[in-house]
Every structure is written in structure tokens, then in C-alpha cells.
Amino acid sequence: MMKKILSLFAMFLVAVCLHAQQRVVYTINDGWRFAKGSPFEAHLTSCDDSSWETVHIPHTWNAKDADDDQAGFYRGPAWYRKRLFVDKSQEGRRAVIYFEGANQEVQVYLNGQYLGAHKGGYTRFCMDVTSHLCYGQENLLAVCVNNVYNPNIPPLSADFTFFGGIYRDVYLQFMNPVHLATNDYASSGVYIRTPEVSKTTASIEVTALLTNELDKPQEVIVENVICDASGKEVKKHQMTCCLLAGETKTTVAKKIKMESPRLWDIDDPYRYLVYTRIFDKKGALLDEVVNPLGFRWFAFDSEKGFFLNGKHRKLVGTARHQDYFQQGNALRDELHVQDVLLLKEMGGNFLRVSHYPQDPIVMEMCDKLGIVTSVEIPLINAVTETEEFLTNSVEMAKEMVRQDFNRPSVMIWGYMNEIFLRRPYTEGKQLKDYYHFTEKVARELEATIRQEDPSRYTLMAYHNAPQFYEEAHLTEIPMILGWNLYQGWYEPDINKFQCLLDRAHQVYKGKILMVTEYGPGVDPRLHSYQSERFDFSQEYGLNYHKHYIAEMMKRPFVAGSSLWNLNDFYSESRIDAVPHVNNKGVVGLNREKKDTYLFYQAALCKRPVLAIGNREWKARGGVVNTSERACKQAVPVFSNAKEVELLINGRSLGVKAVENGSAIFEVPFVNGLNQLKATAVVGNSVVEDWLEVCFQLVAADLKEHGADFTEMNIMLGSPRYFEDRTAQVAWIPEQEYKPGSWGFVGGTPYRRKTNFGFMLGSDIDIFGTDMNPIFQTQRVGIQSFKADVPDGEYSVYLYWAELDSNKEKEALVYNLGADVGQILAGNRSFGVSINGMQVLDDFNIARDYGYARAVVKKFIVTVKNGEGLCVDFHKKEGEPVLNAIRLYRNY
Ligand code: GCB
Ligand code: CA
């Protein structure tokens, strides 16, 4: 008995010893000290950081910059310091610090000693810290991160915010001195290839890099074990290897054969695991690394599109940026996971991991869910004509390929997005040289990637200026030509889209074609039943996407597409309906689903889909337009059923056929709460969906039905509906005044001049509000706003912003060196009276508030003797304007 216990004890000891020798990996994300700028001797232990902020990684110092009123964001150095206690038990082992990503230049110090640097904000990197580490005591890790513009590090410019910081996980790793290499571009040290794959057989080749950091040679056994998804060992390969002192050596396990492999596919993303292990001569495990293995074969054809495991597949999906509401790019893993799930749920099978390599967990999810991916390095808009720029780009390409080499989901490597969008020259020798240099960079990147990984395709994405790319021979270099197309958005005619596809197919014969971007801006708070280009309404967005996807589906030569973008994302210099945000997501910054998302879900999914559209439009309003004292408004129901039924407050609105993913119902909303219920039968299952909408009904015939009038919120110069989601207020479009009702008298909607003619409303950012849309439209030359409301006391809120602030004028003023306010003041001045009483005489928005600033004035007014309310505007200089009006009944 005693013997048995002893031997059990011995086994336990052995187990503990074996374990203690394996790799230990953990994050060191919490409790860092942080300071912007360059504090004195921040790299030294003696530096006092007690007054610094305490932060947690993932962290960016620009998270708040993204939502504030000021243009620009902090770009410069900042320091992170972390006290690290390291156990004595790790002494004698190798210690490595591993960063998943920090933007964009990093220098690392340990206990005051310089360890190394890394350039580029989107790839992983690691450093051996063993020689500077003190065991059984505290160490000081100091990291300088800098996101200042560096002409030699791509991206130079782009339509997204270059959030600075250590914004992805940081790990400490401890391992045996004899271990799988950690000095190969932060790869796993193991590269798995599958030179042959078919349904019946596959061959596998595993290249492992081994490092011996002892000062004497080591004889080791390298083992590669392939396990299926249940963990069962299915193949094992062993070999011996002799490592010299200090050597890193490459070993290759060739031609491991496998019969009837279960394939990795979109619908069945089956993954095996490869355990690569090193043992010493006595059989003790020294190190182990695990990698995914997916068996698949794929091919692109310039006429027929994409084939996976011999089966044709139209790739349909999205691109994705790594940001989230108020968090910049500093996302915890769960938020990355959520995005890939959203894509899968939408029915997507393709992710353009753009414009840069992303968090490893994104890639892991694509492997797990069966999402084909294209990963790219961030050469965007322009290049710098230096050798250093070229070298950094090539290094980045190697990092990208080696780091995600083993991912079954990756089938394409990309580089260069719209590289001629910001050409510094437009003609002459300088342009020629610039083209030449760009071509050289492209050719080197292509060669590097093809050499690193001949098993995958290469991709470049172009904007609609094909002549530039042709002139520089860039359309000849990659295997796949990706087009970013925005006809019907940046360009007026949506039908040019399909013409461009056909042209590209004709001109670049034999080249594979993908649509790497397309998409309109959609502010989820905006709706319109007269939607038009650039109004940011959900309705325009939906029409645009329906058009694009239909045209692409018709053309087999379009191998695939990634709509722009899965999610709204921050772009500091952009002015859309939401300042500093690019609104082209099919989900919002907080991942709310826009109608466009629901449409794709219905169009792409095989499982039953039923979703009432306008999902997040919960504070909705409109004018009574039926005898039943209701407001009829169109509501789309998205489904892949043949027909759907919609009920409002228990009453059926009938059954409608689904066309192109949706059925539109005219829903008679009543004042207050409305309960919508949709039902459909898909196959054998009955599906249902519900939505509650709070509706604010505004009477058209105020004189007759105004007794219970409470409020109205009207956008002038606009057919748009807007939801103030903070206060749950429904804004509705203007109408012309008729006796007994309400509305404007006189004037015309504000139109802004663009390169493509006039557009309704402005796109300038309005200061002092997060509700740009209320202020971006306007009635110019308005004479009155009247409402035949019942007697009582009212709050009348008038909303203004001076929209005439085009850059030309400002530039002119700056050229003259004069004060903006002085020159432009007085260009518009008017008086305002309410019910005959003058309340403003010489009101000049620009003079008093400057341009593009939200101004709201509230007037308390008593309405008596059944006279209703009348706001009159008196022209003095220029045209009187009004952007919006809110009438609220006090008593
Ligand atoms: C593009 C760019 C992308 C932008 C997008 C847009 O073509 O590749 O980075 O965000 O257009 O929204 O304008
Ligand atoms: Ca992570």
C-alpha cells in the first residue's frame, strides 16, 4: 500500500516537473502607469511615475479625442510603465514579452536597459527579455509608444483614425532554453503546409524552427502530432535533431499522409490541431506549440469566380475596422469575437481583414466559423519614395504572412489600397518617378509574399481611376484586382457601377476580379421616404446595397465582394452625419443592426430569417394622414420566406409577398405605443418577430384636433426623419402651412454645391451638438412658421446653424490675412417676431456665434384668443433662415 502511495507521489512529482518545464503564457494587461509626452527619464527605474494615470491594456490615448468637438487627435509619444514581479521559479528559463499590436512605433526598456524597437501599428512582435530580468523581485518595464506621422511607416494617410497606444494584449512567456523559435517575426515558429489535398487524401508538411539557447549542443526529438477536433490523435511524426549551442535550426517533417481528411469548408469549418513538441533525450517535454490545420483546396478563375474544395462559391462579405463606440481601437477580445459572429449571422462567408492585420482572435474566429479571409498590410493612399519606406513595407509583409500562415481561413494576402488616391504630383517627371517607385514597391511586395507563401493569392485594391494604375503597371502585378466602387455615392450615377465591372472584366482579361469595397453612409438615426444620395438615410442605404449585390450576383466573373464596412468606424478628419465617424457600416459603432444588415441576412442566409426593419427607430413620429387618426408609414419586413404577415396591436395588415429580401407594409401607427408582430413560414418552421415603437402623432388639422396637442419637432428644408436617441424625441419633416394646420411659409430648402451638382442639406460638421442632421438642413428665405395650436403657454425653440461656410470663402479670408468673423459678419441678418411681438431685431448668426455652430433659442409664448402661433422672419440683409423648430406645450 505504502509503495503504491509512494509511486503515485513520484508520478505526481514527475508530472509537476514536466509541467514546470513547459511554456507559461499569460497577459500582463493590468495596472500600467501611463503618461502622454516624454516625461523626464521615463525609461529609468528612478523616474517617479506616482502621479501618472493608471490604465489597462487594451488602451488607446485617443479614445476621447474621437468624440470631441476639436479637429485632430493627439499624435506623439507616450509612455507606459509596468512593475512586474517575476517568480524565482522561472529563473534559468527564457522570458519573452509578446505584443499583439501597438500603434505605431515602440521602444521597450526593462530595468532601465534598452531591449528593442518595433515599427508598424498592426503587426505582432516579441522580444527576449531574459538577460535583463530579475527573478524573485520586481522589474520595471517601460514602453514608449509613438503614433506621430512617420513618412517611412505605412499608412501615411487613410480614412480612419490612427489611435495610438498599446491597444492589443501584451503577454509574458516563459520557456525552456531549448524551445520553438520566438525570433521569427513573432510567428509561432511552426509552418504547416498541405501540398496535396483532396477528398480522399492529403499530405502535410510541418516546418518547425528550434532554438537552443544553452551553451552546449542538444540532441532533441521533434514530434508533430495531428489530432482531430475531438482531441483524438490521428497522426504522429517524430525525428531527432541536433542543435548547436545558440543555434536556431529549421526542421521539416515531410509528407505526413492522411487518408480521407475531413475538409475545412464554409459550412463545415473542420479543424485539426497540430501539436509540435520538443523532447530531450530522456523523453521530457521541453516545449510545445499548437497550431490549427485545415484541409482545403481553392482556386480563383477570372471567368467563373471562386471554388473551394471543388465547389463554386460566391464570396460575399464585408471589410472590417477594429473600433468600437467610445473605445477607439482598444477592444477586448469579446468585442472582436462579436464582429465575426455578426458577419456569420448575416450570412457572410468572406472577410476582408482591412486595412491591416488584426487581433489574432479575429483570425481564430474566421477559422472557427468558416469565413474565408483576405489579410492586408496598410499601404494606403500614397507612398514615400525612400528605401526605408520600401524596407518597412517588405518587413510588414513578412510579419503578416508568417504570423497568420497557419490559418485555414486565409486565402488571400493583400497590399496597397487605393495607392494613387493621394498622388503628390499630377504630371511630369515627378509623377513618372513616383509611378516608378510605387511599381517597384508593388513588385517587391508581390515577390516577397509569393516567395513566403506560394499557396495563396495576392490582391491589390484600386479606386475608380484605372488609368493611374494602368500607367504605373499596377494592374499587372497582383493575382486578384480588387475594385473599391462608390457609384451612387461619391459619384452620382449608381448604374455606372455595373458598367465599370464589365469594363474591368473586358480590359483586364485573365485577371481575377473582386469588389473589395462598396457602400453608402447611413446614419441609423435618419430616415426618409424621398431618400437621395448623401442624405445618410437608412432607406437610401438599402436601395444602394440592393442594387450592388444584385449586379454582382448576375456576374459570375465577380469572384467575390466585401461591402464597406461591417461596422461604422472612427475617422478623425471625416464629416458625415456623425462627426469623425465613417457611417458606412451595416452595423453601428455600438453594433446596432441597420436595415442594410437585415437585408443581407434575408438575402444570404439559408436558415429562416424574419426581422421587422427600422429596428432601432423606437422614437418615431409623423403626421396624421388617415381617418382613423393614425399615420401610415412604410415599414420593411426582411425575410427569406415567400410571404410574411404583419400585425399592429393585434390587427393583421395582411400577408405580403417577399421580393428581393423584404416586404413593405404601410403601417398605421397610432399615438403612443405600437406593437408590431411579423410571422412567416419558412420550410417547416413558423418564425415570428416583434417590435415596439413609440410613435408621436402630430395632427395635420390642428384647429379641429389640436385639443390634446403636446409637441412637434420639425426639420426645415428637409424630407428627413431624425431620432434624438438620448431624449427619445422624434423629428419629422417640414410641410407647407395651410390654414387650420401648421408649416412653413415661403423659402426654399438649402442646397449645397458639390462637384456633381446640388445636394440637399449640408455636410459640414456642426459644433456644439451631437445631432448634426437637425442643423444640416435649412429653409432659406423663410417668411413664417405657423401652427394653429390651441390657446395655452408654449415653449418655442428655434434651431439655427450658419451653413454657408464653404472652404473657399474661408481660404479667401485667410489669404487676405483678415479676421474671419469681421469679414463675414453681417452677410445675413434678420428679425424675428412671434405673434406680432418683435423678439429679435438684428439677428446675425455668423456674427454672434460664428459658422457651423448649433444655436438654439427658446421663447416662452402665450397663445390666446384662438389666434394660434406665428413666427415671422424679417429680412434685413441676405435671406432669413431657420433650420428646425420645436413647439412644446407648457400649459
Ligand atoms: C475607400 C477607402 C476606405 C474608405 C472608403 C470611404 O475607398 O478604401 O478606406 O473608408 O473609401 O468610406 O470613403
Ligand atoms: Ca487580443
Side-chain angles (χ1 to χ4, degrees):
M1 184 62 190
M2 196 59 196
K3 238 182 172 173
K4 224 177 187 173
I5 290 175
L6 270 179
S7 73
L8 267 177
F9 184 67
M11 268 168 68
F12 172 74
L13 268 185
V14 168
V16 167
C17 289
L18 286 181
H19 268 282
Q21 286 188 316
Q22 287 180 48
R23 233 179 237 220
V24 173
V25 178
Y26 56 80
T27 54
I28 45 166
N29 284 348
D30 301 308
W32 289 69
R33 292 288 189 167
F34 170 77
K36 265 189 222 170
S38 307
F40 184 62
E41 295 189 333
H43 63 293
L44 294 184
T45 29
S46 54
C47 166
D48 177 12
D49 59 17
S50 55
S51 63
W52 297 18
E53 198 186 331
T54 300
V55 301
H56 302 275
I57 288 164
H59 175 262
T60 171
W61 58 75
N62 300 117
K64 290 215 173 62
D65 291 357
D67 288 306
D68 67 14
D69 244 7
Q70 262 117 46
F73 58 105
Y74 177 76
R75 296 191 71 176
W79 282 82
Y80 292 85
R81 281 162 59 98
K82 165 93 191 135
R83 289 183 174 71
L84 268 181
F85 181 88
V86 177
D87 291 349
K88 261 228 174 300
S89 65
Q90 300 298 347
E91 201 157 2
R93 314 236 293 151
R94 299 307 293 186
V96 170
I97 178 166
Y98 177 93
F99 293 82
E100 284 183 353
N103 198 25
Q104 89 171 336
E105 282 174 86
V106 177
Q107 282 134 27
V108 185
Y109 298 83
L110 185 63
N111 298 326
Q113 309 283 320
Y114 176 72
L115 282 179
H118 182 259
K119 286 181 193 151
Y122 305 93
T123 42
R124 303 151 213 166
F125 57 98
C126 55
M127 287 168 196
D128 193 308
V129 299
T130 317
S131 53
H132 300 293
L133 205 58
C134 303
Y135 297 87
Q137 49 179 293
E138 204 170 76
N139 293 268
L140 184 90
L141 187 62
V143 183
C144 177
V145 185
N146 196 332
N147 67 337
V148 78
Y149 173 79
N150 181 333
N152 290 315
I153 305 178
L156 304 176
S157 84
D159 179 25
F160 58 94
T161 305
F162 302 148
F163 294 102
I166 306 179
Y167 70 93
R168 292 184 196 155
D169 295 322
V170 183
Y171 297 84
L172 256 186
Q173 307 181 339
F174 297 100
M175 61 200 81
N176 199 288
V178 180
H179 59 92
L180 286 150
T182 53
N183 57 358
D184 187 39
Y185 291 90
S187 74
S188 69
V190 176
Y191 300 93
I192 302 167
R193 296 178 175 83
T194 49
E196 289 163 65
V197 182
S198 73
K199 281 200 181 92
T200 49
T201 174
S203 74
I204 308 126
E205 188 182 297
V206 186
T207 304
L209 276 58
L210 315 183
T211 304
N212 172 20
E213 312 217 44
L214 294 171
D215 51 15
K216 50 181 188 292
Q218 290 292 306
E219 211 182 291
V220 295
I221 299 156
V222 193
E223 176 184 277
N224 286 295
V225 172
I226 301 175
C227 291
D228 67 15
S230 72
K232 208 178 98 208
E233 184 176 312
V234 290
K235 279 283 151 183
K236 186 172 181 165
H237 180 280
Q238 282 195 335
M239 62 187 144
T240 55
C241 172
C242 207
L243 297 165
L244 301 177
E247 184 188 27
T248 292
K249 192 169 186 172
T250 304
T251 64
V252 188
K254 276 210 167 99
K255 299 217 171 112
I256 306 172
K257 282 271 177 210
M258 187 115 130
E259 300 313 311
S260 319
R262 181 152 159 198
L263 301 177
W264 185 96
D265 212 321
I266 288 166
D267 305 314
D268 179 27
Y270 193 85
R271 289 183 308 163
Y272 294 82
L273 291 180
V274 178
Y275 292 86
T276 306
R277 296 174 179 140
I278 312 176
F279 297 94
D280 67 12
K281 273 191 306 195
K282 291 185 209 116
L285 181 60
L286 300 179
D287 197 15
E288 175 185 89
V289 161
V290 190
N291 274 287
L293 164 62
F295 293 107
R296 78 275 188 274
W297 74 96
F298 55 94
F300 284 90
D301 181 279
S302 62
E303 294 301 320
K304 298 192 206 114
F306 177 69
F307 293 81
L308 180 58
N309 300 327
K311 203 163 120 200
H312 178 255
R313 291 285 194 165
K314 190 93 167 182
L315 292 175
V316 180
T318 73
R320 183 224 180 214
H321 265 300
Q322 58 181 12
D323 41 358
Y324 195 88
F325 186 54
Q326 293 182 341
Q327 298 183 28
N329 59 355
L331 273 57
R332 53 199 166 87
D333 285 347
E334 295 87 325
L335 291 172
H336 294 293
V337 167
Q338 171 177 253
D339 279 357
V340 189
L341 285 169
L342 274 168
L343 171 59
K344 184 77 183 176
E345 243 178 73
M346 190 185 93
N349 57 19
F350 178 61
L351 180 65
R352 177 178 175 212
V353 182
S354 61
H355 287 316
Y356 40 76
Q358 298 189 5
D359 196 289
I361 203 155
V362 170
M363 305 312 298
E364 238 153 68
M365 279 307 285
C366 291
D367 285 351
K368 270 189 198 140
L369 296 180
I371 305 274
V372 174
T373 63
S374 162
V375 184
E376 68 199 46
I377 50 170
L379 275 83
I380 304 167
N381 292 358
V383 300
T384 304
E385 294 167 86
T386 60
E387 284 306 309
E388 207 178 328
F389 181 89
L390 173 63
T391 313
N392 287 340
S393 303
V394 170
E395 287 292 292
M396 249 181 225
K398 285 188 187 164
E399 288 179 314
M400 167 178 79
V401 175
R402 295 193 192 188
Q403 291 170 8
D404 284 320
F405 190 89
N406 297 328
R407 306 262 173 223
S409 58
V410 178
M411 305 200 186
I412 304 169
W413 299 120
Y415 57 91
M416 288 195 180
N417 180 74
E418 308 190 345
I419 205 69
F420 289 140
L421 191 72
R422 301 260 180 273
R423 295 178 312 161
Y425 316 105
T426 49
E427 55 179 28
K429 175 165 176 349
Q430 285 174 316
L431 178 64
K432 231 175 149 188
D433 290 347
Y434 187 75
Y435 276 166
H436 246 103
F437 184 80
T438 311
E439 182 187 350
K440 176 172 151 185
V441 177
R443 290 203 188 276
E444 284 211 25
L445 289 172
E446 180 75 16
T448 304
I449 293 171
R450 298 274 277 270
Q451 188 187 356
E452 290 276 322
D453 183 5
S455 76
R456 287 168 169 114
Y457 286 75
T458 56
L459 166 86
M460 194 187 290
Y462 313 91
H463 76 293
N464 185 22
Q467 67 284 7
F468 301 166
Y469 299 99
E470 285 164 21
E471 279 158 26
H473 306 286
L474 292 200
T475 47
E476 296 159 29
I477 301 170
M479 300 159 90
I480 305 175
L481 310 188
W483 293 95
N484 300 344
L485 297 174
Y486 290 94
Q487 290 62 47
W489 189 250
Y490 295 124
E491 294 164 43
D493 184 1
I494 200 166
N495 289 309
K496 284 272 154 56
F497 169 64
Q498 57 269 30
C499 303
L500 288 169
L501 290 182
D502 293 334
R503 176 199 179 268
H505 178 224
Q506 274 297 314
V507 175
Y508 314 112
K509 270 257 165 289
K511 283 281 184 187
I512 301 149
L513 187 153
M514 289 182 81
V515 177
T516 30
E517 286 180 28
Y518 65 98
V522 173
D523 178 344
R525 303 168 301 175
L526 273 169
H527 289 271
S528 173
Y529 298 109
Q530 297 163 48
S531 69
E532 63 171 20
R533 185 164 74 94
F534 253 97
D535 68 3
F536 291 92
S537 71
Q538 296 247 17
E539 288 68 23
Y540 186 78
L542 191 57
N543 289 340
Y544 177 104
H545 276 288
K546 283 186 168 178
H547 179 86
Y548 270 63
I549 195 77
E551 292 300 331
M552 292 189 290
M553 287 298 189
K554 273 188 226 162
R555 292 171 169 76
F557 65 81
V558 177
S561 61
S562 39
L563 66 84
W564 192 257
N565 186 284
L566 176 66
N567 52 298
D568 287 353
F569 57 92
Y570 289 107
S571 178
E572 184 59 32
S573 55
R574 180 170 276 274
I575 306 154
D576 279 359
V578 183
H580 317 305
V581 173
N582 185 317
N583 278 129
K584 295 195 188 70
V586 290
V587 301
L589 269 176
N590 59 1
R591 276 37 178 186
E592 70 176 88
K593 294 169 182 164
K594 302 181 191 176
D595 283 350
T596 43
Y597 178 95
L598 302 175
F599 160 70
Y600 278 103
Q601 204 171 26
L604 300 174
C605 287
K606 291 194 193 92
R607 72 189 142 80
V609 170
L610 178 68
I612 301 171
N614 301 174
R615 259 207 120 55
E616 305 291 333
W617 195 7
K618 302 238 168 90
R620 190 167 176 153
V623 181
V624 170
N625 55 12
T626 66
S627 56
E628 5 165 10
R629 309 232 38 87
C631 172
K632 274 201 173 169
Q633 280 181 0
V635 175
V637 178
F638 298 98
S639 181
N640 51 6
K642 283 209 179 62
E643 47 184 34
V644 296
E645 182 179 6
L646 189 68
L647 295 89
I648 179 163
N649 300 325
R651 187 159 62 88
S652 173
L653 300 173
V655 174
K656 290 213 155 173
V658 174
E659 277 167 50
N660 194 8
S662 65
I664 313 279
F665 288 86
E666 290 293 322
V667 177
F669 287 102
V670 294
N671 202 41
L673 201 65
N674 294 262
Q675 281 176 321
L676 301 184
K677 180 187 172 190
T679 61
V681 182
V682 189
N684 295 324
S685 42
V686 179
V687 276
E688 295 183 340
D689 189 34
W690 288 267
L691 188 66
E692 275 194 352
V693 179
C694 188
F695 203 90
Q696 214 168 70
L697 202 60
V698 179
D701 42 358
L702 274 178
K703 205 125 223 148
E704 233 180 289
H705 286 102
D708 47 8
F709 174 85
T710 54
E711 68 179 87
M712 69 165 79
N713 305 283
I714 312 298
M715 310 227 283
L716 273 305
S718 174
R720 298 170 196 169
Y721 293 78
F722 176 78
E723 183 182 11
D724 164 2
R725 291 182 169 184
T726 317
Q728 303 289 305
V729 172
W731 288 84
I732 65 173
E734 64 177 12
Q735 61 177 27
E736 191 166 11
Y737 175 74
K738 284 195 201 73
S741 183
W742 57 270
F744 63 82
V745 179
T748 52
Y750 174 88
R751 286 185 176 271
R752 148 185 76 101
K753 200 172 171 215
T754 73
N755 296 340
F756 306 105
F758 283 90
M759 307 279 302
L760 192 66
S762 173
D763 62 350
I764 55 171
D765 186 12
I766 310 295
F767 299 111
T769 180
D770 56 1
M771 297 190 292
N772 273 358
I774 295 181
F775 297 92
Q776 282 172 328
T777 60
Q778 186 183 63
R779 188 150 268 276
V780 183
I782 186 169
Q783 288 160 23
S784 317
F785 188 93
K786 291 179 165 196
D788 294 340
V789 290
D791 288 358
E793 191 196 80
Y794 290 84
S795 294
V796 179
Y797 301 70
L798 303 183
Y799 288 66
W800 284 290
E802 183 54 69
L803 301 178
D804 267 338
S805 70
N806 63 55
K807 294 250 162 57
E808 265 164 46
K809 249 188 224 165
E810 273 171 19
L812 192 71
V813 170
Y814 281 122
N815 286 343
L816 297 174
D819 180 288
V820 180
Q822 262 177 19
I823 293 251
L824 295 175
N827 66 334
R828 185 201 306 283
S829 170
F830 53 94
V832 178
S833 57
I834 303 184
N835 285 7
M837 183 150 81
Q838 178 117 35
V839 290
L840 296 172
D841 177 25
D842 176 12
F843 183 52
N844 184 319
I845 312 168
R847 181 196 61 208
D848 297 347
Y849 301 95
Y851 283 79
R853 180 162 294 280
V855 180
V856 183
K857 279 191 191 292
K858 174 164 84 172
F859 301 88
I860 309 295
V861 179
T862 320
V863 173
K864 8 179 214 279
N865 308 327
E867 64 185 348
L869 184 91
C870 180
V871 184
D872 291 309
F873 299 85
H874 311 289
K875 180 175 162 139
K876 282 201 148 176
E877 213 183 315
E879 294 292 337
V881 291
L882 183 65
N883 299 55
I885 182 169
R886 165 170 163 84
L887 295 185
Y888 181 83
R889 188 180 194 174
N890 300 337
Y891 306 109

